Amino acid sequence: MGFFKDMIAVFQKKELKFLEYRKEADDVYSFMFEKPNDLSWNAGQYGLFTITHKSIKNNTRPLSIASAPEENVIRITTRISDSPSDYKKALLELKQGMTIKMGGPIGKFSLDDSSPSLLIAGGIGITPFRSILKQVAGGGNSARPIHLLYMDRHLFKDELDAMAEQGVLTVTYVSSRDALEQEIDQFAAQHKTSGNYYVAGPKSLVDSISSYMNKHNVPKQRVKKDAFFGY
Ligand SMILES: Cc1cc2nc3c(=O)[nH]c(=O)nc-3n(C[C@H](O)[C@H](O)[C@H](O)COP(=O)(O)OP(=O)(O)OC[C@H]3O[C@@H](n4cnc5c(N)ncnc54)[C@H](O)[C@@H]3O)c2cc1C
């Protein structure tokens, strides 16, 4: 059922009007688009975003929707290096009022509010979690407790820290793989098999963290993954 729903959403592309972009870090930008009235998504889902204002090869990328539906804006946040792809160059050329297309929303990377949750983000993998946490902060989901482990970068740090102060989550910024594994072990020991685990980020990182958890008796069915290929 979910697969067919996703497929229909992919083909019903929506036109999104560009509003503005914001620099989040030296090489990370958020792009905001007007939210059409007839478009909604589950926090944590992604869209297929297509460049239409110029002709480029490979004009579509899957990108997480980094905003919660309640924010009333579609936000994508992406890494743009010194030698960007044609796709990323085209994103940077957007001017207010220009449009792109979005297929979707797609995916099942959403929070199950019945259990303690450990969110594990690697770098740019914070994007689906920003959406999920903003939704929880807005009262849209009662899941508790939520602990976020954030490795490699500190994107959205001010927002994450503010939500932590509100009691939405606890957050640990980890700087090494060892520290990350220790935190995972601690959560697993505390919540035994009742916890849920969510991992998002570059595919290689998601695969290796999942395999670590697998070897350390975290039940596979308790782990949800959002693997970003292309990094
Ligand atoms: C579900 C999902 C959510 C994502 N969310 C985000 C997000 O929120 N923010 C974000 O920045 N990125 C996200 N990504 C990754 C994004 O789609 C791009 O791949 C990434 O941003 C790199 O794009 P690029 O244009 O810079 O580089 P690209 O031109 O896409 O190339 C980067 C490298 O990846 C390789 N590559 C390209 N396509 C594929 C493929 N299909 N399979 C394997 N290798 C490939 C290329 O050969 C190249 O070496 C997500 C990916 C997925 C699957």
Side-chain angles (χ1 to χ4, degrees):
M1 193 65 186
F3 173 76
F4 290 109
K5 205 175 156 197
D6 279 0
M7 281 301 104
I8 292 166
V10 164
F11 288 111
Q12 288 174 339
K13 286 184 184 289
K14 304 265 192 247
E15 197 158 80
L16 306 182
K17 204 180 265 183
F18 176 65
L19 297 171
E20 59 173 350
Y21 74 78
R22 198 172 294 170
K23 202 165 180 180
E24 308 284 359
D26 276 354
D27 57 346
V28 177
Y29 295 76
S30 286
F31 298 84
M32 321 291 178
F33 300 89
E34 221 170 82
K35 174 182 159 321
N37 287 335
D38 59 346
L39 176 63
S40 193
W41 59 96
N42 297 324
Q45 285 192 298
Y46 65 97
L48 297 178
F49 292 88
T50 302
I51 294 293
T52 54
H53 63 275
K54 66 190 285 196
S55 176
I56 55 167
K57 266 193 187 170
N58 305 323
N59 62 357
T60 302
R61 295 282 183 283
L63 294 163
S64 302
I65 305 172
S67 45
E70 294 77 4
E71 291 182 280
N72 229 18
V73 70
I74 296 187
R75 176 188 194 130
I76 52 178
T77 300
T78 190
R79 221 169 84 191
I80 304 190
S81 66
D82 287 344
S83 48
S85 62
D86 287 345
Y87 183 89
K88 302 272 170 93
K89 273 189 210 155
L91 275 183
L92 283 173
E93 287 161 14
L94 284 170
K95 301 271 179 304
Q96 198 179 13
M98 288 165 75
T99 56
I100 65 168
K101 284 198 169 162
M102 181 193 131
I106 322 167
K108 295 195 204 121
F109 196 70
S110 48
L111 196 69
D112 170 356
D113 64 4
S114 60
S115 304
S117 305
L118 184 66
L119 318 183
I120 306 167
I124 194 74
I126 195 67
T127 49
F129 293 136
R130 183 190 179 279
S131 172
I132 287 171
L133 291 166
K134 280 281 173 185
Q135 187 166 63
V136 177
N141 194 317
S142 61
R144 294 290 194 282
I146 301 174
H147 187 52
L148 169 70
L149 301 177
Y150 192 7
M151 194 159 100
D152 290 344
R153 299 198 76 129
H154 294 162
L155 299 171
F156 307 130
K157 186 171 187 305
D158 291 348
E159 285 183 294
L160 294 171
D161 290 347
M163 287 190 279
E165 280 209 358
Q166 277 173 45
V168 172
L169 75 155
T170 50
V171 53
T172 308
Y173 300 97
V174 286
S175 50
S176 71
R177 185 55 195 247
D178 278 355
L180 180 79
E181 291 176 358
Q182 267 180 29
E183 290 280 344
I184 295 172
D185 293 348
Q186 211 170 308
F187 180 91
Q190 196 176 349
H191 298 289
K192 303 283 183 287
T193 52
S194 71
N196 284 329
Y197 300 74
Y198 302 80
V199 195
K203 186 175 181 315
S204 55
L205 184 78
V206 169
D207 286 349
S208 77
I209 293 172
S210 307
S211 131
Y212 175 85
M213 292 198 289
N214 206 359
K215 281 188 202 130
H216 288 76
N217 303 320
V218 172
K220 255 190 178 159
Q221 65 275 20
R222 290 263 169 197
V223 182
K224 275 195 192 180
K225 300 185 249 180
D226 207 16
F228 297 2
F229 54 75
Y231 284 120

